[in-house]
């Protein structure tokens, strides 16, 4: 399981959380492509979920830290484990199986729960505000543009997440404006990394003009580096994702069960070939089959 790239396992019991996550990924796989652990997750500029790594549920099970779904048109959506995110944000999360409702914050009393609309009725997207915030937190628009970002319309509610103004980076991803160039948003560790690895707040560039460095500083810089640091070298994230995607949809018999991609030095020269395992062969399998396969450590 590996990297690039927002919501899956969310029941209060860890085993139930795993089951829901598997149910979701199985359904998604039927209509598109699913990849696991392809995204770093940062909180206030500091990495809290590392790309390429599982996270450990309360019952000791290893579950995906992120799920990347690519639809038939190439559109990408990231899903994160809600329980892990709720813990990081210190927001209580619970699940009412009878009402089939995930509660963020305190669970309402029974009378309040009974008054909630049925599934599918008046569904509210918690990420996007109903109206444009009166005093949103913004960033340095000039700096963002200078680093290839696009400033979104102030009057569009889709330009916000809660009270935060978003921008579109040069790869087309939506990020928070206030993080770009904002040293106060970095934790102490990332401040030290920024001082060590950035040049005037940006990634250094090699002789080919390619940027290189740590992905976890991308939100601060305002864009992802062309060459992303991976222990003893660098990878091209899009190249690795393409290699992983090539295995999607293959049967167990057809699949080689691993894919190859290049590891580079900072000048963009190939050091060696790396290999990672495929994401498994769960399409068409029951939820129970998938759950058992993961618990037993089987990839396919």
């Amino acid at each position: 399981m590996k990297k690039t790239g927002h919501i899956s396992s969310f029941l209060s019991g860890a085993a139930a959380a795993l089951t829901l996550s598997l149910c979701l990924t199985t359904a998604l796989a039927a209509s598109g492509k699913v990849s696991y652990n392809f995204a770093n997750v940062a909180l206030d500029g500091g990495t809290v979920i590392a790309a390429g790594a599982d996270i450990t549920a309360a019952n000791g099970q290893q579950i995906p830290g992120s799920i990347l779904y690519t639809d038939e048109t190439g559109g990408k959506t990231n899903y994160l484990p809600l329980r892990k995110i709720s813990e990081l944000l210190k927001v209580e999360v619970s699940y009412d199986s009878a009402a089939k409702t995930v509660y963020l914050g305190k669970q309402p009393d029974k009378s309040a729960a009974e008054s909630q609309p049925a599934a599918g009725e008046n569904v509210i997207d918690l990420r996007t505000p109903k109206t444009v915030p009166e005093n949103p937190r913004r960033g340095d628009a000039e700096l963002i543009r200078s680093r290839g970002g696009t400033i979104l319309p102030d009057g569009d509610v889709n330009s916000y997440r809660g009270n935060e103004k978003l921008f579109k980076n040069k790869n087309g991803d939506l990020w928070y404006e206030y993080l770009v160039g904002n040293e106060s948003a970095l934790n102490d560790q990332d401040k030290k990394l920024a001082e060590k690895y950035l040049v005037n707040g940006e990634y250094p560039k090699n002789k080919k003009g390619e940027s290189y460095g740590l992905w976890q500083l991308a939100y601060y810089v305002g864009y992802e580096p062309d060459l992303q640091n991976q222990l003893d070298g660098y990878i091209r994230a899009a190249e690795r994702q393409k290699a992983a995607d090539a295995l999607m949809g293959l049967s167990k018999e057809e699949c080689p069960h691993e894919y190859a991609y290049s590891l580079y030095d900072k000048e963009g020269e190939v050091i060696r070939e790396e290999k990672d395992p495929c994401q498994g062969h769960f399409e068409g399998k029951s939820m129970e089959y998938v759950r058992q396969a993961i618990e037993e450590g089987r990839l396919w």
Side-chain angles (χ1 to χ4, degrees):
M1 296 184 180
K2 280 278 180 184
K3 165 175 185 293
T4 298
H6 292 235
I7 294 179
S8 59
S9 53
F10 45 74
L11 291 186
S12 55
L18 178 59
T19 301
L20 258 189
S21 173
L22 296 175
C23 182
L24 173 64
T25 54
T26 301
L28 290 177
S31 57
K33 297 178 179 179
V34 179
S35 302
Y36 301 88
N37 296 340
F38 206 65
N40 286 300
V41 178
L43 176 63
D44 292 331
T47 300
V48 292
I49 298 177
D54 289 337
I55 60 174
T56 304
N59 65 349
Q61 291 295 330
Q62 296 295 300
I63 62 175
S66 64
I67 297 173
L68 174 65
Y69 171 61
T70 305
D71 62 33
E72 295 177 349
T73 66
K76 296 183 177 181
T77 304
N78 291 288
Y79 295 84
L80 301 178
L82 186 54
R83 172 157 296 282
K84 178 67 174 180
I85 300 303
S86 70
E87 291 172 354
L88 293 169
L89 297 178
K90 295 180 173 60
V91 175
E92 183 180 350
V93 61
S94 58
Y95 180 71
D96 185 334
S97 59
K100 296 182 179 179
T101 301
V102 177
Y103 293 104
L104 298 175
K106 293 191 177 299
Q107 184 170 339
D109 56 35
K110 185 176 180 181
S111 59
E114 290 174 345
S115 67
Q116 296 301 310
E121 296 181 10
N122 303 317
V123 176
I124 298 173
D125 185 344
L126 297 177
R127 300 170 302 172
T128 305
K130 289 183 178 180
T131 59
V132 173
E134 292 186 6
N135 298 296
R137 180 159 57 169
R138 303 175 184 275
D140 187 334
E142 184 177 349
L143 178 62
I144 291 170
R145 289 193 187 96
S146 72
R147 295 182 178 177
T150 300
I151 302 300
L152 301 177
D154 290 342
D156 185 352
V157 294
N158 294 302
S159 298
Y160 303 86
R161 290 295 180 268
N163 198 52
E164 309 291 352
K165 182 71 179 346
L166 302 175
F167 76 97
K168 187 174 291 187
N169 69 13
K170 59 185 180 182
N171 292 327
D173 298 319
L174 294 174
W175 285 1
Y176 293 114
E177 283 190 359
Y178 82 96
L179 292 176
V180 182
N182 184 2
E183 187 175 336
S184 65
L186 295 175
N187 59 29
D188 291 340
Q189 177 186 5
D190 286 345
K191 284 181 181 178
K192 293 178 181 178
L193 292 175
E195 291 176 359
K196 182 176 181 179
Y197 293 106
L198 299 182
V199 178
N200 296 324
E202 288 198 71
Y203 291 113
K205 291 182 172 57
N206 60 25
K207 296 176 181 178
K208 300 177 181 179
E210 298 173 311
S211 56
Y212 60 91
L214 301 172
W215 194 96
Q216 71 187 77
L217 296 174
Y219 294 121
Y220 174 69
V221 177
Y223 58 87
E224 299 178 32
D226 298 314
L227 294 164
Q228 299 181 10
N229 184 271
Q230 295 284 301
L231 297 177
D232 56 345
Y234 298 83
I235 65 161
R236 301 183 191 278
E239 177 182 272
R240 185 171 72 177
Q241 184 61 49
K242 182 178 180 180
D245 287 348
L247 304 187
M248 290 296 181
L250 297 180
S251 67
K252 175 182 175 180
E253 293 70 28
E254 296 173 314
C255 184
H257 305 309
E258 64 180 10
Y259 61 93
Y261 58 94
S262 296
L263 189 72
Y264 299 87
D265 63 19
K266 68 180 183 180
E267 294 300 329
E269 301 299 329
V270 176
I271 298 176
R272 66 174 181 272
E273 184 180 82
E274 290 284 329
K275 292 184 178 180
D276 282 335
C278 70
Q279 305 303 321
H281 299 279
F282 301 141
E283 293 84 350
K285 302 295 185 181
S286 68
M287 182 175 65
E288 177 60 26
Y289 175 93
V290 178
R291 182 191 65 77
Q292 185 174 348
I294 291 183
E295 286 183 351
E296 294 176 357
R298 292 183 285 116
L299 288 174
W300 48 81

